[in-house]
Amino acid sequence: RCVAGGETLALRVHRAGYQSRMAIESELCWTARLADVGFPCPRPRVSNDGAFLRALPGGQYASAVSWLEGKAIGASGKALEGSDADLRARFTALGARIAAFHEATDAIETDDIQRPAWDADALLGEEPLGGCFWENPTLSATEAELLLRAKARGYELLVSMEGADAGLIHADCLQENVLATPEGLALIDFDDAGFGYRAYDLGTAMVQHFAHPERALFEEALLSGYGTLRAAPSRDELLFFMALRGLASCGGSISRAAGDEEAQRSQALRAIRLAEEWLAST
């Protein structure tokens, strides 16, 4: 957080090697256009020479975006707080906001946007973008075999999904990336955004709550909110995309939580449970 020209900004330092300069600039162009049409997200700021990015030593880039006043609807790894009625309202609002995000994206120019694809190969191919989840070091041989079965069956399902709702997605709609602001919910942190299945955003929004006793209530509210603006996926589809996100996080923890066996195991256990649940439903 910094102040420049009397405005409070968020200074972002992008991870070296994660996204190319073109991909980062595309993200910033996209979110600038979203902000222009009134979608609540950080608005990128340019430097005096009109550039979005500044190159830093070590292959990193820096950018600045407007600071949004608000509070995340939940913290990473933290349980939800609030009454059932309050939480239902939160998920209804979140579903509606994700739908509005997809609507706004489809209404603006995106032909020049270059971002990674979250397609079948990126999610369940031989080298998934999130990492080879079946190689999570905390998995037993039996657990790894289960995830590989989910990988094979899920890949077949994805490539058969003709006409699926797809386009630019946030790809990281976790509760820490959703702010409650005076104007309603806002999305932040588009670092993982790319082209993929719209239902993946809904699966990601629900994945942190996979073990909550009121999960069915939250799922119903999320899909109901989404359905106010766009055709909502089925509960079975939501479970599938929750499982996909669980697998991606299991793989991502290999590098992002290197040396932290507890964190890696937590992600592995979630992936196992969701994979088992999805496989049992098919």
PDB file of all heavy atoms in Angstrom, residues 9-28:
ATOM      1  N   LEU A   9      -2.713   3.697  -3.397  1.00  0.00           N
ATOM      2  CA  LEU A   9      -2.573   2.640  -4.399  1.00  0.00           C
ATOM      3  C   LEU A   9      -2.078   1.353  -3.754  1.00  0.00           C
ATOM      4  O   LEU A   9      -1.496   1.365  -2.669  1.00  0.00           O
ATOM      5  CB  LEU A   9      -1.571   3.064  -5.478  1.00  0.00           C
ATOM      6  CG  LEU A   9      -1.854   4.359  -6.239  1.00  0.00           C
ATOM      7  CD1 LEU A   9      -0.685   4.668  -7.174  1.00  0.00           C
ATOM      8  CD2 LEU A   9      -3.160   4.258  -7.014  1.00  0.00           C
ATOM      9  N   ALA A  10      -2.315   0.266  -4.437  1.00  0.00           N
ATOM     10  CA  ALA A  10      -1.721  -1.015  -4.058  1.00  0.00           C
ATOM     11  C   ALA A  10      -0.560  -1.274  -5.016  1.00  0.00           C
ATOM     12  O   ALA A  10      -0.752  -1.297  -6.239  1.00  0.00           O
ATOM     13  CB  ALA A  10      -2.745  -2.136  -4.155  1.00  0.00           C
ATOM     14  N   LEU A  11       0.631  -1.429  -4.469  1.00  0.00           N
ATOM     15  CA  LEU A  11       1.813  -1.720  -5.275  1.00  0.00           C
ATOM     16  C   LEU A  11       1.957  -3.228  -5.384  1.00  0.00           C
ATOM     17  O   LEU A  11       2.031  -3.927  -4.378  1.00  0.00           O
ATOM     18  CB  LEU A  11       3.059  -1.112  -4.636  1.00  0.00           C
ATOM     19  CG  LEU A  11       4.387  -1.372  -5.348  1.00  0.00           C
ATOM     20  CD1 LEU A  11       4.389  -0.743  -6.731  1.00  0.00           C
ATOM     21  CD2 LEU A  11       5.555  -0.863  -4.503  1.00  0.00           C
ATOM     22  N   ARG A  12       1.971  -3.720  -6.600  1.00  0.00           N
ATOM     23  CA  ARG A  12       2.086  -5.152  -6.837  1.00  0.00           C
ATOM     24  C   ARG A  12       3.466  -5.482  -7.391  1.00  0.00           C
ATOM     25  O   ARG A  12       3.926  -4.834  -8.334  1.00  0.00           O
ATOM     26  CB  ARG A  12       1.011  -5.627  -7.824  1.00  0.00           C
ATOM     27  CG  ARG A  12      -0.410  -5.386  -7.376  1.00  0.00           C
ATOM     28  CD  ARG A  12      -1.386  -5.743  -8.479  1.00  0.00           C
ATOM     29  NE  ARG A  12      -1.339  -7.156  -8.824  1.00  0.00           N
ATOM     30  CZ  ARG A  12      -1.782  -7.655  -9.977  1.00  0.00           C
ATOM     31  NH1 ARG A  12      -2.252  -6.844 -10.927  1.00  0.00           N
ATOM     32  NH2 ARG A  12      -1.733  -8.952 -10.219  1.00  0.00           N
ATOM     33  N   VAL A  13       4.097  -6.488  -6.826  1.00  0.00           N
ATOM     34  CA  VAL A  13       5.357  -7.008  -7.350  1.00  0.00           C
ATOM     35  C   VAL A  13       5.053  -8.422  -7.840  1.00  0.00           C
ATOM     36  O   VAL A  13       4.723  -9.313  -7.057  1.00  0.00           O
ATOM     37  CB  VAL A  13       6.461  -7.020  -6.286  1.00  0.00           C
ATOM     38  CG1 VAL A  13       7.737  -7.628  -6.865  1.00  0.00           C
ATOM     39  CG2 VAL A  13       6.724  -5.601  -5.779  1.00  0.00           C
ATOM     40  N   HIS A  14       5.120  -8.616  -9.148  1.00  0.00           N
ATOM     41  CA  HIS A  14       4.704  -9.871  -9.764  1.00  0.00           C
ATOM     42  C   HIS A  14       5.816 -10.912  -9.669  1.00  0.00           C
ATOM     43  O   HIS A  14       6.994 -10.610  -9.858  1.00  0.00           O
ATOM     44  CB  HIS A  14       4.336  -9.628 -11.227  1.00  0.00           C
ATOM     45  CG  HIS A  14       3.236  -8.620 -11.396  1.00  0.00           C
ATOM     46  ND1 HIS A  14       1.919  -8.976 -11.528  1.00  0.00           N
ATOM     47  CD2 HIS A  14       3.265  -7.252 -11.436  1.00  0.00           C
ATOM     48  CE1 HIS A  14       1.168  -7.883 -11.645  1.00  0.00           C
ATOM     49  NE2 HIS A  14       1.961  -6.829 -11.597  1.00  0.00           N
ATOM     50  N   ARG A  15       5.425 -12.152  -9.394  1.00  0.00           N
ATOM     51  CA  ARG A  15       6.379 -13.243  -9.233  1.00  0.00           C
ATOM     52  C   ARG A  15       7.195 -13.455 -10.509  1.00  0.00           C
ATOM     53  O   ARG A  15       6.631 -13.533 -11.604  1.00  0.00           O
ATOM     54  CB  ARG A  15       5.654 -14.549  -8.906  1.00  0.00           C
ATOM     55  CG  ARG A  15       5.296 -14.706  -7.450  1.00  0.00           C
ATOM     56  CD  ARG A  15       4.628 -16.049  -7.224  1.00  0.00           C
ATOM     57  NE  ARG A  15       3.278 -16.075  -7.761  1.00  0.00           N
ATOM     58  CZ  ARG A  15       2.616 -17.190  -8.039  1.00  0.00           C
ATOM     59  NH1 ARG A  15       3.197 -18.365  -7.877  1.00  0.00           N
ATOM     60  NH2 ARG A  15       1.378 -17.139  -8.503  1.00  0.00           N
ATOM     61  N   ALA A  16       8.483 -13.553 -10.354  1.00  0.00           N
ATOM     62  CA  ALA A  16       9.354 -13.771 -11.513  1.00  0.00           C
ATOM     63  C   ALA A  16       9.030 -15.114 -12.161  1.00  0.00           C
ATOM     64  O   ALA A  16       8.943 -16.138 -11.486  1.00  0.00           O
ATOM     65  CB  ALA A  16      10.813 -13.736 -11.087  1.00  0.00           C
ATOM     66  N   GLY A  17       8.830 -15.091 -13.481  1.00  0.00           N
ATOM     67  CA  GLY A  17       8.639 -16.318 -14.226  1.00  0.00           C
ATOM     68  C   GLY A  17       7.236 -16.884 -14.222  1.00  0.00           C
ATOM     69  O   GLY A  17       6.956 -17.835 -14.955  1.00  0.00           O
ATOM     70  N   TYR A  18       6.322 -16.317 -13.420  1.00  0.00           N
ATOM     71  CA  TYR A  18       4.979 -16.891 -13.357  1.00  0.00           C
ATOM     72  C   TYR A  18       4.137 -16.466 -14.554  1.00  0.00           C
ATOM     73  O   TYR A  18       3.481 -17.296 -15.186  1.00  0.00           O
ATOM     74  CB  TYR A  18       4.289 -16.501 -12.052  1.00  0.00           C
ATOM     75  CG  TYR A  18       2.923 -17.144 -11.904  1.00  0.00           C
ATOM     76  CD1 TYR A  18       2.806 -18.528 -11.881  1.00  0.00           C
ATOM     77  CD2 TYR A  18       1.765 -16.383 -11.804  1.00  0.00           C
ATOM     78  CE1 TYR A  18       1.567 -19.141 -11.769  1.00  0.00           C
ATOM     79  CE2 TYR A  18       0.521 -16.982 -11.691  1.00  0.00           C
ATOM     80  CZ  TYR A  18       0.429 -18.365 -11.666  1.00  0.00           C
ATOM     81  OH  TYR A  18      -0.807 -18.950 -11.569  1.00  0.00           O
ATOM     82  N   GLN A  19       4.127 -15.182 -14.857  1.00  0.00           N
ATOM     83  CA  GLN A  19       3.426 -14.673 -16.030  1.00  0.00           C
ATOM     84  C   GLN A  19       4.397 -13.839 -16.858  1.00  0.00           C
ATOM     85  O   GLN A  19       5.262 -13.160 -16.308  1.00  0.00           O
ATOM     86  CB  GLN A  19       2.231 -13.798 -15.624  1.00  0.00           C
ATOM     87  CG  GLN A  19       1.174 -14.503 -14.796  1.00  0.00           C
ATOM     88  CD  GLN A  19       0.311 -15.460 -15.598  1.00  0.00           C
ATOM     89  OE1 GLN A  19       0.518 -15.644 -16.798  1.00  0.00           O
ATOM     90  NE2 GLN A  19      -0.659 -16.073 -14.950  1.00  0.00           N
ATOM     91  N   SER A  20       4.251 -13.900 -18.163  1.00  0.00           N
ATOM     92  CA  SER A  20       5.092 -13.091 -19.040  1.00  0.00           C
ATOM     93  C   SER A  20       4.683 -11.626 -18.951  1.00  0.00           C
ATOM     94  O   SER A  20       3.598 -11.290 -18.449  1.00  0.00           O
ATOM     95  CB  SER A  20       4.946 -13.563 -20.495  1.00  0.00           C
ATOM     96  OG  SER A  20       3.639 -13.253 -20.979  1.00  0.00           O
ATOM     97  N   ARG A  21       5.539 -10.765 -19.455  1.00  0.00           N
ATOM     98  CA  ARG A  21       5.197  -9.339 -19.474  1.00  0.00           C
ATOM     99  C   ARG A  21       3.904  -9.107 -20.265  1.00  0.00           C
ATOM    100  O   ARG A  21       3.042  -8.338 -19.841  1.00  0.00           O
ATOM    101  CB  ARG A  21       6.341  -8.528 -20.089  1.00  0.00           C
ATOM    102  CG  ARG A  21       6.023  -7.033 -20.160  1.00  0.00           C
ATOM    103  CD  ARG A  21       7.209  -6.178 -20.544  1.00  0.00           C
ATOM    104  NE  ARG A  21       6.880  -4.770 -20.319  1.00  0.00           N
ATOM    105  CZ  ARG A  21       7.731  -3.875 -19.842  1.00  0.00           C
ATOM    106  NH1 ARG A  21       8.959  -4.237 -19.521  1.00  0.00           N
ATOM    107  NH2 ARG A  21       7.355  -2.624 -19.666  1.00  0.00           N
ATOM    108  N   MET A  22       3.764  -9.788 -21.403  1.00  0.00           N
ATOM    109  CA  MET A  22       2.565  -9.628 -22.213  1.00  0.00           C
ATOM    110  C   MET A  22       1.320 -10.067 -21.442  1.00  0.00           C
ATOM    111  O   MET A  22       0.271  -9.412 -21.504  1.00  0.00           O
ATOM    112  CB  MET A  22       2.693 -10.437 -23.506  1.00  0.00           C
ATOM    113  CG  MET A  22       1.449 -10.382 -24.398  1.00  0.00           C
ATOM    114  SD  MET A  22       1.094  -8.704 -24.996  1.00  0.00           S
ATOM    115  CE  MET A  22       2.392  -8.556 -26.230  1.00  0.00           C
ATOM    116  N   ALA A  23       1.426 -11.176 -20.711  1.00  0.00           N
ATOM    117  CA  ALA A  23       0.277 -11.675 -19.956  1.00  0.00           C
ATOM    118  C   ALA A  23      -0.106 -10.706 -18.840  1.00  0.00           C
ATOM    119  O   ALA A  23      -1.294 -10.469 -18.593  1.00  0.00           O
ATOM    120  CB  ALA A  23       0.588 -13.050 -19.381  1.00  0.00           C
ATOM    121  N   ILE A  24       0.884 -10.130 -18.162  1.00  0.00           N
ATOM    122  CA  ILE A  24       0.582  -9.174 -17.095  1.00  0.00           C
ATOM    123  C   ILE A  24      -0.053  -7.913 -17.672  1.00  0.00           C
ATOM    124  O   ILE A  24      -1.031  -7.383 -17.137  1.00  0.00           O
ATOM    125  CB  ILE A  24       1.859  -8.834 -16.293  1.00  0.00           C
ATOM    126  CG1 ILE A  24       2.434 -10.086 -15.636  1.00  0.00           C
ATOM    127  CG2 ILE A  24       1.541  -7.786 -15.220  1.00  0.00           C
ATOM    128  CD1 ILE A  24       3.798  -9.874 -15.008  1.00  0.00           C
ATOM    129  N   GLU A  25       0.500  -7.429 -18.776  1.00  0.00           N
ATOM    130  CA  GLU A  25      -0.083  -6.238 -19.404  1.00  0.00           C
ATOM    131  C   GLU A  25      -1.510  -6.514 -19.881  1.00  0.00           C
ATOM    132  O   GLU A  25      -2.385  -5.648 -19.782  1.00  0.00           O
ATOM    133  CB  GLU A  25       0.797  -5.782 -20.569  1.00  0.00           C
ATOM    134  CG  GLU A  25       2.114  -5.166 -20.111  1.00  0.00           C
ATOM    135  CD  GLU A  25       3.023  -4.790 -21.271  1.00  0.00           C
ATOM    136  OE1 GLU A  25       2.847  -5.364 -22.373  1.00  0.00           O
ATOM    137  OE2 GLU A  25       3.908  -3.933 -21.073  1.00  0.00           O
ATOM    138  N   SER A  26      -1.762  -7.733 -20.357  1.00  0.00           N
ATOM    139  CA  SER A  26      -3.113  -8.104 -20.774  1.00  0.00           C
ATOM    140  C   SER A  26      -4.061  -8.093 -19.584  1.00  0.00           C
ATOM    141  O   SER A  26      -5.204  -7.621 -19.692  1.00  0.00           O
ATOM    142  CB  SER A  26      -3.105  -9.492 -21.421  1.00  0.00           C
ATOM    143  OG  SER A  26      -2.566  -9.453 -22.722  1.00  0.00           O
ATOM    144  N   GLU A  27      -3.608  -8.640 -18.465  1.00  0.00           N
ATOM    145  CA  GLU A  27      -4.427  -8.607 -17.251  1.00  0.00           C
ATOM    146  C   GLU A  27      -4.812  -7.179 -16.890  1.00  0.00           C
ATOM    147  O   GLU A  27      -5.976  -6.885 -16.564  1.00  0.00           O
ATOM    148  CB  GLU A  27      -3.665  -9.247 -16.087  1.00  0.00           C
ATOM    149  CG  GLU A  27      -4.367  -9.100 -14.740  1.00  0.00           C
ATOM    150  CD  GLU A  27      -3.403  -9.128 -13.571  1.00  0.00           C
ATOM    151  OE1 GLU A  27      -2.368  -9.822 -13.648  1.00  0.00           O
ATOM    152  OE2 GLU A  27      -3.686  -8.428 -12.566  1.00  0.00           O
ATOM    153  N   LEU A  28      -3.850  -6.275 -16.952  1.00  0.00           N
ATOM    154  CA  LEU A  28      -4.095  -4.889 -16.555  1.00  0.00           C
ATOM    155  C   LEU A  28      -5.001  -4.179 -17.565  1.00  0.00           C
ATOM    156  O   LEU A  28      -5.874  -3.397 -17.177  1.00  0.00           O
ATOM    157  CB  LEU A  28      -2.761  -4.164 -16.391  1.00  0.00           C
ATOM    158  CG  LEU A  28      -1.881  -4.730 -15.265  1.00  0.00           C
ATOM    159  CD1 LEU A  28      -0.479  -4.125 -15.312  1.00  0.00           C
ATOM    160  CD2 LEU A  28      -2.502  -4.506 -13.904  1.00  0.00           C
TER     161      LEU A  28
END
